[in-house]
Amino acid sequence: MKVIHSSAIHFGRSFTDPRMPGDKLRAGIKSIFSGIIDIAKEESADLLILAGDTFDNIDVSQNLLDFFISEIKRLDKTPVMVLPGSCDQYEKGSFWEQWKILRPAENL
């Protein structure tokens, strides 16, 4: 069984240091995540585990959620397990509640 594991991606992170190009860093995070999906596909992974802090907080924009789900769907039938972390904890009002009701991707 091939398992790909990642954690602490921190989608949606705000970069408050004015010397850091936040938009470019956030684009880089997306690119790295797409690379993780590419590797899982190339290696024919049996499971992808995202173990905490996939998102930087519980108030995630719809655009970011749409990007995340579209990348997950690229894995087709490969199961993906996303676990809450200290930054994207499971609590009332979080995006996790939506996912509990609406299954955003068949393999998630």
Side-chain angles (χ1 to χ4, degrees):
M1 174 178 239
K2 283 189 182 180
V3 177
I4 305 288
H5 168 268
S6 184
S7 64
I9 295 167
H10 290 277
F11 278 124
R13 181 173 178 185
S14 61
F15 295 92
T16 56
D17 186 335
R19 296 169 295 169
M20 298 179 76
D23 289 343
K24 288 182 180 179
L25 292 170
R26 282 186 289 279
I29 291 170
K30 285 182 171 181
S31 178
I32 289 168
F33 184 71
S34 294
I36 292 168
I37 299 298
D38 291 341
I39 290 168
K41 287 177 65 80
E42 290 165 12
E43 294 295 324
S44 300
D46 297 303
L47 175 65
L48 171 62
I49 299 173
L50 301 173
D53 293 341
T54 301
F55 298 93
D56 199 56
N57 56 61
I58 61 169
D59 186 22
V60 182
S61 74
Q62 190 60 52
N63 284 342
L64 194 50
L65 287 172
D66 290 345
F67 168 79
F68 176 77
I69 295 302
S70 70
E71 289 296 299
I72 294 300
K73 286 181 177 180
R74 288 180 44 217
L75 291 173
D76 194 32
K77 302 276 186 211
T78 302
V80 178
M81 180 185 300
V82 183
L83 303 169
S86 60
C87 292
D88 58 1
Q89 66 275 12
Y90 183 91
E91 66 180 52
K92 188 172 180 128
S94 69
F95 66 92
W96 297 103
E97 284 189 328
Q98 293 175 349
W99 286 4
K100 194 171 153 182
I101 298 165
L102 309 168
R103 194 168 178 188
E106 191 174 310
N107 58 332
L108 186 61

